[in-house]
Amino acid sequence: MQTQEQIETLKNSVQDLLNEAKKQGATAAEAGLSVDDGLSVSARLGEVETVEYHCDQGLGVTVYFGQRKGSASSNDLSPESLRETVSAACSIARHTSEDPYAGLPEAGLLAKEFPDLELNHPWGLSAEQAIEYAMQCENAAREFDPAISNSDGANLNSHQSIRVFGNSLGFLHGYPSTRHSLSCSVLAGQGEKMQRDYWYTLSRNADDLESPVQVGQKAAERTVKRLGARPLGSRQCPVLFSAEVASSLFGSLVGALSGGNLYRKSTFLLDSLDQQILPEFVRIHEQPLLPAALGSASYDAEGVATRAHDLVTEGIVRSYVLSSYSARKLGLKTTGNAGGVHNLIIEPGDLGYAGLLREMGTGLLVTELMGQGVNMVTGDYSRGASGFWVENGEILFPVEEITIAGNLKEIFKHIVAIANDVDYRSNIRTGSVLIAQMAIAGEA
Amino acid sequence: MSVLEQVSQSLLHPQGLQHQDIEQVMNHLLSVPADLADIYFQSTHFESWQLEDGIIKQGSHSIETGAGIRVVAGEKTGFAYSDRLELPILLEAAANVKAIIRQGQSRQIKVLAKNDSTSLYAPVNPLASMADDEKVAFLKTIEQETRQLDPRIEEVMISLVGVYENILIASQDGSLKADIRPLVRFNVTVIMAQDGRRESGSMGGGGRSDYSYFMQQDQAMAFAREAVRQAQVSLEAVEAPAGTMTVVLGPGWPGILLHEAIGHGLEGDFNRKGTSAFSGRIGEKVASDLCTVVDDGTLAGRRGSLNIDDEGVASENTVLIEKGILKGYMQDKLNARLMGVASTGNGRRESYAHLPLPRMTNTYMLPGPHQPDDIIASVKNGLYARNFGGGQVDITSGKFVFSASEAYLIENGRITRPVKGATLIGNGPDVLTRVSMVGSDLELDSGVGTCGKEGQSVPVGVGQPTLKIDSLTVGGTQLA
């Protein structure tokens, strides 16, 4: 079926769900349908390892009986299942409590314009071609350096999904989008000295992916660099988060500024609106309408129009991250962030990666983090890390089996600089981040 | 009615499928020379109820049904799945999947219904075990009683989750096996504030049972009291130490140490590929003589237990480490076959839409000779870690972390001040060689564990007695 036709069919089903909800007595409802199709192949040691055909579909409906709410979902899109799912949601709504803040968003805030965000770029890849790319990638990794001793293989994924969402205020929209990725993971060294690392490329358009050979070679290069890693004795020192791990810091920031944690008082950034929490040079903004970007969307998970806006300027919190529900709980207005942020941009500075290493001089470069270790209520931060010890801006040796610790409030305040080596593979776009000082623990 | 009949009736018959249809799909798959082939049918009913701000804020319900079709030749796997259980769709999926194998001698199988295996849990539907009114009233009662426990409580969040899963597995050896798996979980989180400081405490548990599990012996309130106690302790906690020191781990959930440091590294796939720090080390000493570690899927009613795994193999109690010597790996069918051993019943998958992998069930260390008090008393300066959050491991380098959420300083053989949460980091292949005392107080966790691997989540259990590790890195902020 053609994509556009399929969207129309799914729109009809969403309308059926909404009609059914009304028929069963709901005063308001919202419903979503999704269909995902994809191919995933892996190759290891020059042979195909797995070929997986993916095909997922799902429907979800939320009904309101006045201020009471119930939700249900199913992966069966048949008319009978539609009715049963609505009925399950209604049955739940009979048992939940009156919640004065529950309900659909204000009608005036729903998206009315749907610009083409260029999210849909089907690859049309056959399983044979996919295997060929995965093999090229893995071969390039294994041939890169004689120290490469084993492989976890290369994996190619290509997926298309169609999402349709509607509510009883008359909102009804659907769009297709694609995601393609290629990853590779190899090992170097033997026995107790063995190390592993990986690299991946991810994009909505296959033309924007790094080549299989590039991905394989980067994976191999990263792995070989880790050989000979050792712990570091405990100390206080500057810490540089490379771009691919720095996004997790800002992920925690988004979590701490999100409505759910704010109204539950389970965030270390409670009452932080208009407060300075980062150095003056830091600007963080959301750009939901960037063409072909991973996080782009013209409306959020409840149909509210997204908009470009600042979360932080001059280091000061200008906006929380809110849905209609959390906004009502806090006496504020939704920021179009039901379901999360859409392309969070950490404005880069002037320095490149090498420049930031020189700026640090002597300290720890972190390239991998392990474990959860972040307490959202207090901001206490303690995670496993590996990376490199740096002196005078030069990498001296790889480091492993250490922890880095501090409190996120302090960590954010002590950001020294943000580099311009932005990692575009994430919904949170940041370059490498230098922190003035953290506590390192390890065996000397 | 047997479990197989029951599952066939609920999973196949409404879709108009009979056992002979499964036979037809299997024969279609086996028109190529496959080493392994299976068809996995599954239906999952899920519900959750959430209380927050003193009201039942959310409830949700979901049903998922589907079938996964797999064929394996050597190290190659072809896989497809469908959420529509219709014969033509299953046949088409089978045709796609078998394309991975070159043509060759075909086989015919006859699906024979086998007897049910042991029953470690009752084939009950937790969702139907209590009226919705009663579930809601239960949560409200627990909330009100919890709020009475401490005036500093600001928020109470409670969740109740039930899962009812039916699975049916047809394999190329002609076997047809079924399982009915209930799973329930209850969780309480509290936020407490004092003098502008805010801390949380969280506790939960459950198992393969229905909701009556939480009504017995005041179980739900016991979780609530424990959540409040943890928050109370956290309000007093000072900065955690940073550096390498003696660490005593409490019994029960701290067994996540074994899951991360040892367990993942002993899963068959990594060892077959030679990518684990434990590869090729069977028979070697990897722990002190005091350490015997098992993975046991046969414990009645536990969260990680299974009558049969997701490849239809009966669960086992597998010895991983015996008195310090590495004894064996955990295997699924594919990796067992390639390594020339038998499956240990550890082939698990998140759902029909995922491929089986060797996974843990309930992983724990057997009790040792020492009194827990003597273990604490033997430590001059160190850390006593009683509760943990999650963990992670790099199975190749062997480095693992697990994050303490409740810990205390040990000073001169006595537990003194509580310290803030901190991540502990170590090296899997040698951390257990540093175990110098093992308590007699084996405890299993309360039933909250979920393990992630290659994007797939499965419920697991852990356990251990009190353990003394002579040297482990503690990731606090206070440098010595």
Side-chain angles (χ1 to χ4, degrees):
Chain A
M1 211 184 323
Q2 289 304 303
T3 305
Q4 206 47 49
E5 247 178 83
Q6 211 176 348
I7 291 176
E8 292 310 315
T9 308
L10 293 174
K11 273 184 172 177
N12 289 336
S13 297
V14 167
Q15 196 56 58
D16 289 346
L17 275 167
L18 296 170
N19 294 343
E20 182 64 29
K22 193 174 179 187
K23 201 174 128 197
Q24 295 193 26
T27 51
E30 58 186 14
L33 283 179
S34 67
V35 175
D36 295 271
D37 275 296
L39 174 69
S40 167
V41 305
S42 64
R44 178 172 177 266
L45 302 179
E47 300 271 357
V48 55
E49 190 174 42
T50 58
V51 176
E52 299 182 44
Y53 298 91
H54 297 267
C55 175
D56 296 288
Q57 50 183 34
L59 69 93
V61 59
T62 296
V63 298
Y64 294 91
F65 283 74
Q67 298 305 113
R68 301 151 83 107
K69 176 184 172 184
S71 302
S73 64
S74 169
N75 68 343
D76 179 353
L77 306 193
S78 69
E80 191 186 337
S81 161
L82 258 54
R83 274 194 304 277
E84 284 170 7
T85 307
V86 169
S87 156
C90 292
S91 159
I92 283 177
R94 280 191 279 277
H95 298 283
T96 51
S97 314
E98 293 274 338
D99 183 346
Y101 307 102
L104 297 179
E106 276 174 55
L109 298 175
L110 296 171
K112 289 170 197 69
E113 284 164 43
F114 307 98
D116 180 6
L117 299 177
E118 299 169 36
L119 305 181
N120 191 43
H121 304 272
W123 198 347
L125 197 64
S126 70
E128 290 72 25
Q129 288 170 309
I131 290 165
E132 179 56 32
Y133 286 132
M135 282 189 182
Q136 274 180 22
C137 177
E138 206 236 4
N139 288 341
R142 287 186 299 124
E143 288 160 8
F144 179 77
D145 191 300
I148 298 296
S149 54
N150 201 343
S151 170
D152 257 343
N155 194 292
L156 189 143
N157 274 285
S158 176
H159 282 259
Q160 182 183 45
S161 67
I162 298 175
R163 272 161 222 293
V164 175
F165 178 80
N167 66 24
S168 55
L169 296 172
F171 184 91
L172 183 60
H173 188 259
Y175 63 96
S177 64
T178 50
R179 250 172 201 261
H180 315 289
S181 69
L182 177 62
S183 66
C184 183
S185 170
V186 287
L187 282 71
Q190 305 286 343
E192 286 174 18
K193 304 283 176 219
M194 233 164 25
Q195 293 288 343
R196 179 178 60 162
D197 210 332
Y198 68 99
W199 188 249
Y200 72 97
T201 177
L202 164 68
S203 182
R204 294 205 176 269
N205 187 337
D207 294 342
D208 298 334
L209 293 176
E210 290 174 28
S211 78
V213 169
Q214 278 176 313
V215 172
Q217 290 185 341
K218 269 193 202 169
E221 187 183 0
R222 287 169 65 88
T223 303
V224 171
K225 277 187 178 165
R226 291 172 74 137
L227 282 173
R230 57 189 203 242
L232 208 56
S234 303
R235 68 193 67 188
Q236 297 271 357
C237 70
V239 174
L240 198 167
F241 287 77
S242 68
E244 66 266 25
V245 295
S247 58
S248 71
L249 287 175
F250 298 105
S252 296
L253 181 80
V254 168
L257 293 176
S258 74
N261 282 327
L262 288 162
Y263 79 71
R264 292 184 186 99
K265 297 179 185 152
S266 56
T267 165
F268 60 94
L269 292 181
L270 204 60
D271 301 324
S272 58
L273 204 58
D274 300 325
Q275 301 293 312
Q276 176 129 22
I277 60 159
L278 288 148
E280 243 175 61
F281 67 85
V282 178
R283 177 181 175 219
I284 301 175
H285 49 116
E286 195 184 7
Q287 297 294 345
L289 304 177
L290 293 179
L294 290 167
S296 294
S298 51
Y299 52 92
D300 72 1
E302 50 184 357
V304 170
T306 55
R307 60 191 170 88
H309 70 123
D310 286 317
L311 265 76
V312 173
T313 59
E314 296 168 318
I316 296 169
V317 177
R318 306 294 182 183
S319 170
Y320 289 143
V321 178
L322 306 173
S323 64
S324 295
Y325 181 80
S326 61
R328 285 182 205 124
K329 292 277 282 185
L330 295 164
L332 297 167
K333 213 173 143 186
T334 177
T335 57
N337 289 114
V341 291
H342 307 93
N343 303 321
L344 192 74
I345 314 288
I346 319 304
E347 201 56 40
D350 299 329
L351 291 173
Y353 172 70
L356 198 61
L357 275 176
R358 279 193 299 275
E359 171 81 22
M360 176 167 76
T362 295
L364 177 70
L365 164 64
V366 174
T367 55
E368 188 174 304
L369 290 166
M370 287 179 84
Q372 294 75 40
V374 182
N375 184 331
M376 216 28 105
V377 181
T378 59
D380 289 328
Y381 184 98
S382 167
R383 297 185 74 183
S386 55
F388 300 88
W389 182 248
V390 175
E391 285 184 15
N392 303 315
E394 303 286 332
I395 287 175
L396 283 198
F397 57 86
V399 170
E400 66 179 4
E401 206 180 340
I402 57 164
T403 59
I404 56 173
N407 184 285
L408 281 172
K409 269 183 165 176
E410 297 303 312
I411 293 169
F412 289 143
K413 272 184 197 149
H414 292 102
I415 292 178
V416 176
I418 299 170
N420 56 21
D421 56 337
V422 177
D423 185 355
Y424 291 96
R425 299 171 302 176
S426 165
N427 181 30
I428 296 179
R429 294 184 172 184
T430 179
S432 302
V433 173
L434 175 60
I435 310 295
Q437 186 168 277
M438 289 182 75
I440 315 296
E443 196 162 0
Chain B
M1 191 166 43
S2 73
V3 166
L4 181 62
E5 287 164 347
Q6 224 178 311
V7 171
S8 301
Q9 222 167 68
S10 74
L11 200 49
L12 301 178
H13 300 174
Q15 319 285 339
L17 287 177
Q18 303 293 334
H19 289 174
Q20 55 264 37
D21 297 319
I22 301 178
E23 242 170 73
Q24 194 187 337
V25 177
M26 184 59 83
N27 280 323
H28 195 54
L29 271 181
L30 294 178
S31 63
V32 293
D35 292 317
L36 283 177
D38 49 25
I39 311 167
Y40 181 90
F41 294 89
Q42 180 188 36
S43 77
T44 306
H45 292 233
F46 165 97
E47 73 169 356
S48 85
W49 296 92
Q50 273 150 22
L51 182 148
E52 194 180 290
D53 280 347
I55 62 172
I56 304 295
K57 180 166 286 185
Q58 293 221 39
S60 64
H61 181 271
S62 85
I63 300 180
E64 290 209 350
T65 306
I69 297 180
R70 170 176 73 145
V71 60
V72 177
E75 299 185 34
K76 294 184 175 62
T77 300
F79 179 60
Y81 57 89
S82 169
D83 36 30
R84 284 160 66 191
L85 303 185
E86 294 162 28
L87 186 58
I89 290 174
L90 297 179
L91 286 169
E92 191 195 327
N96 275 332
V97 160
K98 70 176 184 178
I100 194 168
I101 302 178
R102 282 185 208 92
Q103 298 301 311
Q105 192 64 47
S106 70
R107 284 186 290 162
Q108 290 285 308
I109 61 109
K110 178 82 187 158
V111 173
L112 298 169
K114 293 279 171 68
N115 287 334
D116 289 327
S117 41
T118 51
S119 187
L120 303 171
Y121 33 84
V124 292
N125 180 355
L127 284 65
S129 67
M130 220 170 149
D132 288 348
D133 283 335
E134 289 175 311
K135 294 169 196 166
V136 165
F138 172 64
L139 294 189
K140 286 181 176 167
T141 307
I142 300 296
E143 197 254 358
Q144 283 154 11
E145 285 184 36
T146 304
R147 284 197 181 267
Q148 306 301 317
L149 294 174
D150 195 308
R152 296 172 294 178
I153 294 174
E154 288 200 333
E155 302 282 334
V156 178
M157 290 160 266
I158 305 180
S159 67
L160 179 70
V161 173
V163 183
Y164 175 61
E165 208 183 354
N166 277 230
I167 63 159
L168 183 72
I169 309 156
S171 305
Q172 89 283 0
D173 61 2
S175 69
L176 187 63
K177 297 197 174 164
D179 197 13
I180 293 178
R181 299 172 179 167
L183 188 65
V184 294
R185 181 169 169 178
F186 178 85
N187 208 82
V188 181
T189 299
V190 298
I191 307 276
M192 284 174 54
Q194 174 179 286
D195 306 331
R197 184 170 172 179
R198 205 168 253 104
E199 294 282 354
S200 63
S202 193
M203 183 65 191
R208 296 205 179 276
S209 172
D210 62 22
Y211 294 133
S212 64
Y213 183 92
F214 304 114
M215 316 294 156
Q216 292 157 9
Q217 291 146 16
D218 197 25
Q219 185 60 70
M221 268 317 289
F223 292 146
R225 280 190 289 272
E226 176 59 16
V228 171
R229 190 194 62 78
Q230 286 186 26
Q232 288 166 339
V233 170
S234 291
L235 279 172
E236 310 297 325
V238 298
E239 295 294 313
T244 302
M245 63 198 73
T246 302
V247 173
V248 176
L249 300 175
W253 180 241
I256 187 172
L257 162 82
L258 306 170
H259 180 98
E260 301 297 353
I262 305 290
H264 279 296
L266 299 181
E267 289 168 340
D269 46 353
F270 303 129
N271 289 284
R272 191 253 305 170
K273 295 176 182 175
T275 59
S276 164
F278 287 98
S279 299
R281 298 193 60 185
I282 297 261
E284 288 184 24
K285 182 118 170 129
V286 295
S288 79
D289 295 345
L290 296 165
C291 300
T292 295
V293 181
V294 300
D295 182 80
D296 187 355
T298 70
L299 301 170
R302 302 295 310 180
R303 183 173 164 86
S305 297
L306 298 169
N307 287 321
I308 51 171
D309 72 2
D310 294 322
E311 299 182 305
V313 178
S315 285
E316 292 181 15
N317 180 359
T318 306
V319 177
L320 304 176
I321 293 170
E322 187 171 25
K323 294 181 179 162
I325 306 293
L326 181 59
K327 284 293 180 185
Y329 301 127
M330 288 166 279
Q331 299 287 4
D332 63 350
K333 282 183 174 178
L334 183 152
N335 291 287
R337 207 184 57 76
L338 292 170
M339 291 181 80
V341 296
S343 167
T344 53
N346 288 91
R348 303 186 64 185
R349 59 203 298 176
E350 179 178 305
S351 77
Y352 67 89
H354 300 84
L355 277 170
L357 296 169
R359 303 294 295 265
M360 285 173 263
T361 59
N362 304 297
T363 312
Y364 59 94
M365 183 183 287
L366 300 191
H370 302 104
Q371 288 304 313
D373 292 348
D374 295 343
I375 297 178
I376 300 289
S378 74
V379 178
K380 177 146 175 53
N381 283 300
L383 187 83
Y384 175 61
R386 186 66 194 87
N387 271 300
F388 281 84
Q392 193 183 332
V393 62
D394 175 336
I395 50 110
T396 298
S397 70
K399 304 300 174 276
F400 69 93
V401 294
F402 57 139
S403 296
S405 57
E406 180 190 356
Y408 304 82
L409 295 178
I410 306 177
E411 295 169 291
N412 297 314
R414 290 180 45 226
I415 291 171
T416 58
R417 283 177 301 172
V419 295
K420 289 184 172 205
T423 288
L424 277 56
I425 190 162
N427 182 34
D430 72 30
V431 67
L432 292 192
T433 62
R434 304 178 185 191
V435 170
S436 58
M437 294 176 93
V438 176
S440 53
D441 55 340
L442 169 64
E443 271 181 33
L444 298 174
D445 76 281
S446 60
V448 291
T450 297
C451 169
K453 175 176 172 182
E454 294 183 22
Q456 295 193 41
S457 296
V458 296
V460 295
V462 297
Q464 68 175 31
T466 299
L467 284 190
K468 177 179 166 186
I469 300 170
D470 284 339
S471 169
L472 194 60
T473 297
V474 177
T477 52
Q478 284 302 100
L479 295 167

